[in-house]
Amino acid sequence: MELVAPADFVLWGLRTQILSILIPVVALALFSYIVYKRLIPLSKANRDERFDRVGERLGKVFSLWLGQIKQPRYMVAGVLHIAIFFGFLVLALRSISLVFIGMNADFALPGMSGPLGTLYNIAKDYAATIVLIACLIAAFRRGVMKPARYAVPERYGKDHTAEAVFVLALISVLMISESLFEAAAIAAAPTLHQAAPLSLADMFSRMLSGASQGTLQTLHIGSYYVHDLVFFYFLCFLPFGKHFHVLTSLFNVYFMRLNKGTVKPVRYGIDESKLEDQEVFGVHKLEDFTWKHMLDFYSCADCGRCSDQCPANIVKRPLSPRFISIKARDQLFKTYPVWGEAQPSPELIGSIYTEDEILSCTTCGACEEECPIAIEYIDKIVDLRRGMIDAGMVPQSLQKPLSALEKRGNPYGKTAKQRAKWIDDKDFAELVEVKLIDPETPVETLFFVDSVSSYDDRIIRITKDAARLMDHMGVDFGILGEEEKDAGNEVRRIGEEMLFQDLKEHNTEMIQESGAKRIVTADPHAFNTLKKDYSGLPPVQHVCQVLLEGVVAGKLNFNQPGPDDAERVYTYHDPCYLGRHNLLYDEPRKLLDSLPGMKRVEMVKSRDRSFCCSGGGLMLFYEPEEEVRMGVLRVNMAKEAGANVIVTACPFCLINMEDAIKIAGLEGRMEAIDLTELVAGRVAW
C-alpha cells in the first residue's frame, strides 16, 4: 500500500505540510541573515580587481572547482573528497526536490518525471551510498588515524577534528535519512517504487520488507523531517567554521589570481606615481586586506596541504600558511560576529601574527600551488610586510641591505662602477668583448645581469659563462653596466614598495633608452620581476631559453663526456621563480638532456612541487630560527634520488646548495653547479 506523503500526513490533527513550509522559510531567513553578516567585512575591505578574463575564470572553475584536479595530489584524501563532492552535486537536486515534496506530494523537477528521472534516481541512490562510505572512511582517518597535516600546534589554538567529524556525521545522517525515506516507500509498495540494486536505499528496503504499515509510515515521515531539519541546520551551520568553503569555494576559484609570479599593487585604482600620497601602506588591520583575501579566509578548508608543502613550516620556522588563513578567519568572526555588534579591529602584527612569522616566508609559492581552491598567500604576506615597513618594523639584519639598495642600487653596498668590473677581467676579456650599451652602441639583446650576478665572486663565473655562450651563438648583446640597478624582485616582496618603485623607474628608463629588442638574464628573480612587475619593456627571457634555442638551431655543439663524467648522476633543482612562478620546467631539462651521455634522475619533490632553497625574499640576509636549513633538506633529497650533482639555474639556489653541501658533510661526494656553467663546460668552442 502507498504511504502517505509528508505533504498529506496528519499529525495530532494538523497536516505536516505546515511544518514542511515553516522549516525552509525560517531556515532560509536565518541563513540569509547569517550570510549578510558574514558579507559585512567584505564590504569594508579594500578594492580588488577580479572581474576580467571571464572565459579564463570559468575555465578555472571547471578544472579546479568542478574537475577537482588538485585533489588527487593527496590520493586517499583526494579520492574521498571527490566522492563526497560529486555525491553532493548529484544529491543537491534531490534535496531541493524533497523540500517541495513536503509541500506537494506530486512535485517533480522539470524533466524528472520520465526516463531522465528514472536515471537520476539510480544515480542519486548510488551517490548516497558512496558518500556515506566516504564519510565513514574520512571520519576514521580524521578521528583515529589523524594525519599529521591536520594537527594544530598549541600556539595556533584548538584542534579542529571535532568539527570535521561532526560535519561528516551530519552528511551521513542526510544520506541515511534520504535513503530510509525512499526505502520505507519501496518496502510498502514494491511494485510502485524501486531502488538501485545494492544501494543504501535498496539494502534498507530489504531490511524493512517485513515491517508493518505503521512502522513504515513512521519511518517515512520521521526520516523526511530528520533530513529536512538536518539539511537546513547544516546550511546555517556552514558559515560558522571551516566548512564555509562548501559555499564560498566556487566564488574563490572564479576570482582567483590568474597571473603567476605577480604581486598585487599597494592599492588597486591608485596610480603608482601617486603612491607617495598614500597615508597608509600595506595591511595593518583586517579591513586593509582586499575583499578577495577575506574571501580566502572564509574559503580555507583547513586541509593542511599548504603547510605540508611549505618549506618554512617543514624546517620549523614560525610560519604555517594554513594558520595565516585560520587565524584571520577566527579574528574576522570575533570582530564581526553574527550575533551582536562589530568590535574594534586590532593591529594584526602583535595580536594574531608575529613579525618572525610573516618574515619567514620565502615567497616560493608552494602553498598556493598546492591549494585545491586557489587560496593566495604571497600577496597577503607581502601586504603585511608593507604594513610592517610602514610601521618601522624592519629587522636589523635587513636594514643594512635595504639601505645599500636605496643608496647604491644593490644590497651589498658596493659602488655602481664595480657592477661591470667582471667584463675587464683579463682572461675573460681576451675571449669576449662585452659591450656597454649607450645611445651610440645599440644592441639587439640586453643582458640584464642584476646584483648577485655582478658582485658575488662565485656567481660572476656564471655571468661570464652566459656572456661567452651568447657571444659564441652570435647573439648581439650588451649590458647597462653602472647604469643598471637591482631589479627589485626581493625588495618588493619584502615590503619596501617605494624603494622598488625607484629601482623600477630607473631601470625602465635605462632599458628603454638602450633600444634593445629583448632582455636576457641568468637570474630567475630578475627574470620574474622584469617580466611581471615592470611594464613597457621588450620580451624577457631566461638564459636557459636562449641556450636551448641555440641547441635547436645547431649553434651549440657539445663534446662527448670525459672519464670524470662516467660516475656523475645529475638531478635538476627547479628554482621557484623559474618553475612555479613562470612554468619553465621543460626547457632546463631539455637543455640538460641535450648534453651527450647525460645521466639524470628526478628528486621526489620536483617541478611544481620543487623544494625551495630558502633564497627568496632577501633570505640571504635574513635568517629566522629553524631546526634545519632548507638547502640541507634539498641536498639530502638529491642524495636519496641517487644523484651526486645538483644542477640549478638560479644564483641564489647555487649559493644555498653549495653551503648546504658543506653543512651536510657531503663535500667530495656531492657538488652543485649552475646549468649555464655546466653547458659552458661541455660546449665544443
Side-chain angles (χ1 to χ4, degrees), residues 554-575:
K555 295 179 180 179
L556 287 180
N557 297 299
F558 301 110
N559 294 316
Q560 291 298 315
D564 293 341
D565 275 307
E567 301 300 321
R568 286 195 173 101
V569 179
Y570 297 83
T571 190
Y572 177 68
H573 163 77
D574 291 276

Side-chain angles (χ1 to χ4, degrees), residues 158-214:
K158 63 178 183 179
D159 185 85
H160 306 132
T161 299
E163 180 189 344
V165 174
F166 176 65
V167 167
L168 289 168
L170 289 178
I171 297 171
S172 298
V173 170
L174 288 174
M175 301 304 106
I176 293 169
S177 58
E178 190 279 331
S179 298
L180 267 177
F181 174 74
E182 189 85 357
I186 295 168
T191 58
L192 298 176
H193 304 282
Q194 287 184 327
L198 300 179
S199 67
L200 199 59
D202 180 51
M203 288 186 281
F204 282 160
S205 67
R206 293 175 188 277
M207 292 167 61
L208 296 171
S209 60
S212 67
Q213 189 78 4

Side-chain angles (χ1 to χ4, degrees), residues 304-445:
R305 295 178 181 219
C306 55
S307 296
D308 198 44
Q309 295 298 323
C310 172
N313 183 59
I314 290 170
V315 300
K316 305 301 181 186
R317 290 186 183 183
L319 170 68
S320 177
R322 166 189 175 200
F323 294 102
I324 295 291
S325 290
I326 292 171
K327 289 191 293 184
R329 181 179 63 216
D330 290 346
Q331 188 61 52
L332 272 172
F333 288 176
K334 290 178 184 176
T335 306
Y336 293 93
V338 168
W339 319 118
E341 298 298 318
Q343 303 299 309
S345 188
E347 290 283 337
L348 297 177
I349 302 297
S351 60
I352 66 171
Y353 302 130
T354 67
E355 293 180 48
D356 285 344
E357 181 179 10
I358 302 306
L359 289 169
S360 289
C361 176
T362 66
T363 68
C364 73
C367 52
E368 295 185 2
E369 188 68 38
E370 206 61 38
C371 183
I373 50 178
I375 290 173
E376 299 158 18
Y377 287 100
I378 294 174
D379 277 352
K380 298 189 194 79
I381 286 173
V382 169
D383 252 349
L384 285 162
R385 289 173 173 177
R386 286 168 173 162
M388 290 169 60
I389 297 285
D390 189 45
M393 301 178 193
V394 184
Q396 189 172 2
S397 61
L398 293 182
Q399 290 176 10
K400 185 175 179 181
L402 287 172
S403 176
L405 279 157
E406 184 176 1
K407 293 175 182 176
R408 295 193 167 182
N410 70 83
Y412 305 98
K414 297 188 178 181
T415 64
K417 289 184 178 180
Q418 291 176 279
R419 188 174 280 273
K421 188 178 177 182
W422 59 273
I423 69 173
D424 297 323
D425 177 78
K426 184 178 178 182
D427 293 337
F428 174 74
E430 288 178 357
L431 298 172
V432 183
E433 182 181 352
V434 178
K435 300 175 186 176
L436 285 171
I437 300 174
D438 58 45
E440 285 75 41
T441 317
V443 293
E444 191 76 17
T445 298

Side-chain angles (χ1 to χ4, degrees), residues 243-513:
H243 290 87
F244 203 2
H245 77 273
V246 174
L247 303 174
T248 62
S249 59
L250 185 152
F251 303 101
N252 207 61
V253 170
Y254 180 82
F255 290 116
M256 70 182 287
R257 183 179 62 184
L258 297 177
N259 296 324
K260 286 177 174 285
T262 58
V263 172
K264 67 172 285 291
V266 173
R267 289 284 186 277
Y268 283 102
I270 302 296
D271 190 89
E272 289 178 347
S273 63
K274 297 180 180 178
L275 284 178
E276 290 184 354
D277 299 334
Q278 293 293 300
E279 293 183 6
V280 177
F281 272 71
V283 167
H284 296 264
K285 299 185 177 183
L286 285 170
E287 296 80 4
D288 295 329
F289 284 116
T290 72
W291 61 262
K292 169 57 172 66
H293 292 159
M294 286 192 182
L295 187 62
D296 277 349
F297 300 144
Y298 285 163
S299 300
C300 178
D302 193 19
C303 66
R305 295 178 181 219
C306 55
S307 296
D308 198 44
Q309 295 298 323
C310 172
N313 183 59
I314 290 170
V315 300
K316 305 301 181 186
R317 290 186 183 183
L319 170 68
S320 177
R322 166 189 175 200
F323 294 102
I324 295 291
S325 290
I326 292 171
K327 289 191 293 184
R329 181 179 63 216
D330 290 346
Q331 188 61 52
L332 272 172
F333 288 176
K334 290 178 184 176
T335 306
Y336 293 93
V338 168
W339 319 118
E341 298 298 318
Q343 303 299 309
S345 188
E347 290 283 337
L348 297 177
I349 302 297
S351 60
I352 66 171
Y353 302 130
T354 67
E355 293 180 48
D356 285 344
E357 181 179 10
I358 302 306
L359 289 169
S360 289
C361 176
T362 66
T363 68
C364 73
C367 52
E368 295 185 2
E369 188 68 38
E370 206 61 38
C371 183
I373 50 178
I375 290 173
E376 299 158 18
Y377 287 100
I378 294 174
D379 277 352
K380 298 189 194 79
I381 286 173
V382 169
D383 252 349
L384 285 162
R385 289 173 173 177
R386 286 168 173 162
M388 290 169 60
I389 297 285
D390 189 45
M393 301 178 193
V394 184
Q396 189 172 2
S397 61
L398 293 182
Q399 290 176 10
K400 185 175 179 181
L402 287 172
S403 176
L405 279 157
E406 184 176 1
K407 293 175 182 176
R408 295 193 167 182
N410 70 83
Y412 305 98
K414 297 188 178 181
T415 64
K417 289 184 178 180
Q418 291 176 279
R419 188 174 280 273
K421 188 178 177 182
W422 59 273
I423 69 173
D424 297 323
D425 177 78
K426 184 178 178 182
D427 293 337
F428 174 74
E430 288 178 357
L431 298 172
V432 183
E433 182 181 352
V434 178
K435 300 175 186 176
L436 285 171
I437 300 174
D438 58 45
E440 285 75 41
T441 317
V443 293
E444 191 76 17
T445 298
L446 167 64
F447 180 25
F448 195 96
V449 185
D450 212 16
S451 296
V452 67
S453 302
S454 297
Y455 294 113
D456 186 283
D457 290 339
R458 171 67 181 92
I459 306 305
I460 285 173
R461 286 154 51 186
I462 302 168
T463 305
K464 291 176 179 177
D465 283 335
R468 192 179 175 199
L469 286 165
M470 285 193 288
D471 179 71
H472 181 72
M473 291 163 54
V475 176
D476 177 28
F477 76 96
I479 64 172
L480 292 173
E482 63 183 88
E483 297 301 329
E484 177 189 290
K485 289 188 177 182
D486 193 277
N489 188 78
E490 280 62 60
V491 174
R492 187 173 217 193
R493 284 150 184 82
I494 208 64
E496 256 289 12
E497 184 68 23
M498 292 309 299
L499 176 53
F500 168 75
Q501 293 297 334
D502 289 342
L503 295 170
K504 184 179 81 165
E505 183 179 353
H506 173 85
N507 285 327
T508 299
E509 182 181 348
M510 293 298 104
I511 293 169
Q512 289 176 341
E513 287 182 1

